[in-house]
Amino acid sequence: MFRLEKVKKSYQFFCNKEKTQELFTMSDVQATTGWTKNTVSAYQTKKWSTFLQKSGKKYYIKGITNYTEEEYIKLMSQVYKGNNDIKRPQLSTEIEELVLKAKESAILALDIYNRPSHIFRTEGFIVLMIIAWTALFHAIFEKRRIPYIYINPDGTPRLTEDGDEKAWELSKCIKKYYGSSDNPIHKNIEFMISLRNKIEHRYVPAIDPDVTGECQALLLNFDELLVREFTEYYALREHLCFPLQTANMRSTYQIEVCKRVQGKNYEKIKNYIDVFRSGLSDTIYQDPKYSFRVYLIPKIANHSNSADTTFEFIKYDPTNTEELKNISKQIALIRDREKLVPVINPGMFKPGEVAKKV
């Protein structure tokens, strides 16, 4: 029997023993796998010590199901020395550097956004998230062996002013990855790219409450794609939590003062936000992957033990009209004023008023 087959048999044996909580002997392992007594004895101390527990003259398993079969095979490999991370995906140096750059940029963006003392919050968050998304797409293209460097007509790589190869910017990356722009994630990133370009040379912290939903969606979409392409090992979720706020980002007074001080800068940015949103279909605008919006409703409990979770998210399918109707009934008294719907001939007389004047 080939060694790999024996390794797989031992993994299945241990998983079954952990699920059934049965005790066993090393002779049982030998009989199942076909390994010799010396081989099993060596593995017992060198490979299985993290999950093999002793109970009298027998053994039981605790923790083997935390490993996938692939991770267990890696643990059993001859090159594994015990100090490697079994769950770490096997990536090339180029791909791993891009993935780490993407993740670290996103963590920095999250750190800036969640610090109440920062004023330059949304601006800093967006700039760093654009870097994170760009690095993530480059890592994906590198993994799939898709060229993402601009090429001159003569076939040579196009260079930047500093002499580096010019890689695709984020706008080109999302067109390559998503294709059609009729996609909530595509639209969310497109919105942020243009917003980044507009705020890069402006100081407009008053926009924070205007784009909270899009910022949250940008982060969640990033984490979802990162995990899908490079496994849970690189997930941001352990860094995510519900931020505690004494108000909605800033008090109403602070927001109004910012708007007056920033004047034209704020109006230009706010106009861009309103125009972009009004151009979206209702399907995309209502999709949480474009803008993540939540209503915080006090959670009532009959006694203290029945409310272990302070916040509870109820997932829903935006395409399920019946489900959306039921949720809408519960929040019917809450008016969403983020999206401005254009009207025909604003400010003009209605037909009845015209008839009276005539």
Side-chain angles (χ1 to χ4, degrees):
M1 188 185 297
F2 294 109
R3 182 180 181 280
L4 181 59
E5 293 177 359
K6 294 180 180 181
V7 170
K8 290 182 177 180
K9 279 186 174 293
S10 67
Y11 176 74
Q12 292 301 326
F13 175 84
F14 290 143
C15 286
N16 291 334
K17 293 302 180 184
E18 182 171 13
K19 289 176 182 177
T20 59
Q21 298 183 340
E22 292 182 49
L23 296 176
F24 59 91
T25 65
M26 289 297 105
S27 296
D28 295 330
V29 179
Q30 289 176 236
T32 301
T33 61
W35 277 323
T36 65
K37 183 179 180 180
N38 290 337
T39 300
V40 170
S41 178
Y43 287 156
Q44 183 179 341
T45 55
K46 294 180 180 179
K47 303 292 186 180
W48 301 335
S49 59
T50 56
F51 52 81
L52 186 66
Q53 308 291 325
K54 195 167 186 178
S55 176
K57 293 184 178 181
K58 292 189 175 183
Y59 298 86
Y60 66 94
I61 297 297
K62 185 177 181 180
I64 186 65
T65 51
N66 292 331
Y67 302 105
T68 64
E69 185 179 72
E70 182 181 353
E71 291 165 354
Y72 177 78
I73 292 172
K74 189 187 298 183
L75 170 68
M76 295 295 292
S77 68
Q78 297 295 333
V79 297
Y80 181 77
K81 302 299 182 182
N83 57 351
N84 298 326
D85 191 339
I86 301 174
K87 293 184 175 294
R88 184 175 182 174
Q90 296 296 307
L91 302 175
S92 69
T93 302
E94 293 80 3
I95 297 174
E96 187 174 44
E97 287 178 351
L98 288 167
V99 172
L100 291 176
K101 176 183 177 181
K103 181 178 179 178
E104 288 302 313
S105 295
I107 292 174
L108 283 172
L110 184 64
D111 181 61
I112 289 175
Y113 194 81
N114 282 341
R115 288 197 181 189
S117 59
H118 285 338
I119 296 177
F120 199 69
R121 296 169 66 179
T122 299
E123 295 91 334
F125 172 83
I126 293 174
V127 169
L128 284 167
M129 283 304 299
I130 294 296
I131 295 173
W133 271 98
T134 305
L136 177 57
F137 279 123
H138 288 175
I140 293 171
F141 296 151
E142 186 75 37
K143 183 179 73 171
R144 298 182 181 181
R145 298 185 179 181
I146 298 174
Y148 55 95
I149 302 296
Y150 281 104
I151 302 298
N152 293 318
D154 61 1
T156 59
R158 189 185 305 176
L159 303 180
T160 64
E161 293 181 359
D162 297 326
D164 298 320
E165 293 183 348
K166 183 174 176 58
W168 289 353
E169 67 278 6
L170 184 54
S171 58
K172 188 170 180 64
C173 289
I174 58 176
K175 288 178 183 177
K176 177 65 178 179
Y177 188 86
Y178 294 110
S180 171
S181 62
D182 190 22
N183 175 297
I185 302 177
H186 186 149
K187 282 296 183 184
N188 173 266
I189 300 174
E190 183 182 317
F191 170 79
M192 289 299 183
I193 292 172
S194 296
L195 187 59
R196 187 278 310 269
N197 295 339
K198 292 181 182 299
I199 67 176
E200 195 168 11
H201 303 292
R202 294 182 177 90
Y203 177 65
V204 279
I207 68 167
D208 285 3
D210 294 313
V211 294
T212 303
E214 280 93 347
C215 286
Q216 186 67 61
L218 186 72
L219 183 67
L220 295 177
N221 294 339
F222 173 86
D223 190 44
E224 183 179 320
L225 181 59
L226 179 64
V227 169
R228 187 165 69 244
E229 293 285 349
F230 299 103
T231 77
E232 292 273 356
Y233 181 84
Y234 293 106
L236 288 176
R237 290 160 197 173
E238 63 185 68
H239 303 279
L240 304 181
C241 63
F242 200 96
L244 299 179
Q245 302 285 347
T246 57
N248 182 14
M249 312 306 272
R250 291 186 176 83
S251 69
T252 303
Y253 173 74
Q254 288 176 308
I255 293 171
E256 291 305 318
V257 169
C258 282
K259 288 178 182 179
R260 287 198 299 270
V261 172
Q262 294 157 20
K264 293 181 180 180
N265 280 341
Y266 173 79
E267 291 303 324
K268 287 180 181 179
I269 299 297
K270 188 62 171 68
N271 181 64
Y272 160 74
I273 295 171
D274 293 339
V275 171
F276 189 95
R277 286 174 178 166
S278 64
L280 298 173
S281 66
D282 288 340
T283 302
I284 289 182
Y285 181 73
Q286 296 297 337
D287 196 306
K289 290 188 180 299
Y290 169 74
S291 181
F292 186 84
R293 310 174 189 86
V294 294
Y295 294 105
L296 296 183
I297 302 173
K299 189 174 180 181
I300 308 300
N302 295 328
H303 51 85
S304 59
N305 292 333
S306 64
D308 294 332
T309 305
T310 306
F311 299 103
E312 184 174 344
F313 289 95
I314 301 174
K315 293 185 178 181
Y316 75 95
D317 181 1
T319 62
N320 189 329
T321 55
E322 193 62 34
E323 185 180 6
L324 197 56
K325 283 181 182 178
N326 293 332
I327 294 176
S328 297
K329 287 179 182 178
Q330 301 175 43
I331 56 176
L333 297 179
I334 305 176
R335 185 181 178 188
D336 187 355
R337 300 190 299 173
E338 288 185 338
K339 183 178 181 182
L340 298 181
V341 180
V343 297
I344 300 173
N345 300 327
M348 299 296 183
F349 289 115
K350 294 182 178 179
E353 294 174 323
V354 174
K356 288 180 182 179
K357 290 187 178 294
V358 171

